């Protein structure tokens, strides 16, 4: 794709698995199953295009409230994905990290996750950041608690904490802000996703349900992203000065 600006950090809210299944008269969980297959293709495609960080909203804090059977199915899918895909992820030089309250995960899922993380730890290609047991507000609350703890112990001075310093308490703080956020299924909202890192993201919404999502939609989103002027609150003139 010539002249295409590839976002350094791409994030996706993968929505519409249930509707996809319902439209086909199938149980909801089969939408998730097909959704996991799409994850495989998209991870490969984005890593080949040169995306440096890919964050996928795989399981939210709110998803814990879904019927028990659906939660277990989703945990099983994650386990399956992490076990079966680790070789392919390795071939694509992908490193894996997880963002979320992982202490809430079943022990088996957590162990499989840790194993995959360590197997891929030495890779230096795209970072795949799976948001699991994740909530944007929970992330900020957890960050504030970590910071308060250090302040109580006298290890940091609150007067020196500004935006960048506070950002260091987020999950995986080395991961930069999100450049482009894609949401599928026609819903136009953020749904508690990466609230800290989405501050200046470009947003791209598509009606496509996640199980029907494919590489062409990524390519189109990147073409659209390349046309956007990102000003980060500055004026055109300031941006022109900054660029040279
Ligand atoms: C939203 O669809 C999707 C989820 C809650 C789960 C996302 C999980 C996957 C795509 C598969 C597993 C992930 C990995 C990384 C292997 P929904 O159920 O809310 O759909 P609906 O809004 O149509 O009901």
């Amino acid at each position: 794709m010539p002249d295409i600006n590839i976002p350094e950090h791409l994030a996706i809210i993968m929505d519409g698995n249930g509707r996809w299944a319902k439209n086909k008269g199938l149980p909801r969980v089969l939408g998730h199953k097909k959704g996991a297959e799409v994850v495989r293709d998209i991870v490969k495609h984005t890593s080949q295009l040169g995306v440096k960080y890919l964050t996928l909203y795989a399981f939210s804090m709110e998803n814990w409230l879904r019927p028990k059977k659906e939660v277990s199915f989703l945990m099983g899918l994650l386990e399956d994905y992490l076990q079966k895909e680790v070789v392919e992820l390795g071939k694509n030089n992908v490193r894996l990290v997880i963002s979320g309250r992982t202490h809430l995960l079943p022990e088996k899922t957590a162990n499989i996750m840790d194993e995959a993380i360590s197997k891929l730890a030495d890779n230096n290609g795209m970072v795949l950041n799976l948001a699991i047991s994740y909530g944007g507000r929970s992330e900020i609350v957890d960050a504030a608690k970590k910071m308060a703890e250090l302040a109580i112990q006298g290890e940091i001075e609150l007067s020196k904490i500004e935006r960048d310093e506070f950002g260091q308490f987020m999950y995986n703080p080395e991961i930069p802000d999100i450049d482009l956020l894609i949401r599928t299924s026609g819903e136009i909202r953020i749904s508690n996703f990466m609230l800290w890192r989405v501050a200046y993201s470009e947003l791209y919404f598509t009606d496509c349900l996640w199980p029907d999502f494919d590489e062409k939609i990524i390519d189109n989103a990147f073409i659209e992203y390349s046309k956007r002027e990102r000003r980060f609150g500055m004026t055109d003139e300031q941006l022109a000065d900054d660029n040279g």
Side-chain angles (χ1 to χ4, degrees), residues 52-120:
K52 294 221 166 61
Y53 301 89
L54 172 66
T55 296
L56 299 178
Y57 206 177
F59 190 89
S60 70
M61 283 295 290
E62 291 71 27
N63 288 156
W64 288 116
L65 303 172
R66 290 200 174 188
K68 254 191 174 158
K69 270 191 176 166
E70 185 169 339
V71 171
S72 325
F73 188 89
L74 279 167
M75 290 300 135
L77 259 187
L78 283 167
E79 291 164 10
D80 251 32
Y81 175 81
L82 293 173
Q83 282 179 316
K84 290 188 186 146
E85 276 310 287
V86 81
V87 175
E88 182 70 12
L89 291 171
K91 277 190 205 152
N92 287 303
N93 198 18
V94 170
R95 188 158 68 84
L96 176 70
V97 298
I98 309 286
S99 292
R101 289 188 171 168
T102 48
H103 61 278
L104 298 176
L105 291 170
E107 201 181 328
K108 185 178 173 205
T109 315
N111 290 340
I112 290 172
M113 206 175 70
D114 287 343
E115 207 172 302
I117 290 172
S118 63
K119 279 186 184 154
L120 301 167

Side-chain angles (χ1 to χ4, degrees), residues 13-22 28 31-40 43 56-60 63 66 70 73-74 77-82 85 128 130-132 183-185 187 189 209-211:
I13 302 177
M14 310 180 289
D15 197 11
N17 294 347
R19 275 164 283 167
W20 180 89
K22 194 173 173 205
R28 288 180 57 78
H32 296 315
K33 189 161 180 270
K34 177 70 172 45
E37 289 166 22
V38 175
V39 168
R40 288 188 181 106
V43 168
L56 299 178
Y57 206 177
F59 190 89
S60 70
N63 288 156
R66 290 200 174 188
E70 185 169 339
F73 188 89
L74 279 167
L77 259 187
L78 283 167
E79 291 164 10
D80 251 32
Y81 175 81
L82 293 173
E85 276 310 287
L128 172 61
L130 292 183
I132 299 177
R183 182 175 187 145
T184 62
S185 91
E187 309 292 355
R189 51 178 174 260
L209 303 175
W210 178 252

Side-chain angles (χ1 to χ4, degrees), residues 165-222:
E165 290 75 20
F166 186 62
Q168 289 306 306
F169 292 99
M170 296 292 148
Y171 304 140
N172 302 301
E174 71 286 1
I175 299 182
D177 281 355
I178 292 166
D179 297 301
L180 175 64
L181 171 65
I182 298 177
R183 182 175 187 145
T184 62
S185 91
E187 309 292 355
I188 317 286
R189 51 178 174 260
I190 301 291
S191 298
N192 200 17
F193 186 52
M194 297 278 147
L195 297 180
W196 184 260
R197 289 185 180 89
V198 91
Y200 280 101
S201 305
E202 295 300 322
L203 308 177
Y204 185 89
F205 298 100
T206 165
D207 287 340
C208 179
L209 303 175
W210 178 252
D212 288 328
F213 193 85
D214 64 16
E215 292 89 339
K216 272 189 257 116
I217 303 174
I218 289 281
D219 295 353
N220 286 337
F222 286 7

Side-chain angles (χ1 to χ4, degrees), residues 132-170:
I132 299 177
S133 189
Y134 177 85
R137 287 177 168 174
S138 308
E139 179 175 23
I140 294 170
V141 168
D142 289 350
K145 282 184 178 165
K146 279 184 242 164
M147 188 185 68
E149 193 68 45
L150 289 182
I152 290 165
Q153 289 162 5
E155 290 184 34
I156 51 164
E157 259 182 71
L158 282 187
S159 61
K160 295 205 171 126
I161 300 288
E162 267 309 327
R163 185 193 63 192
D164 290 349
E165 290 75 20
F166 186 62
Q168 289 306 306
F169 292 99
M170 296 292 148

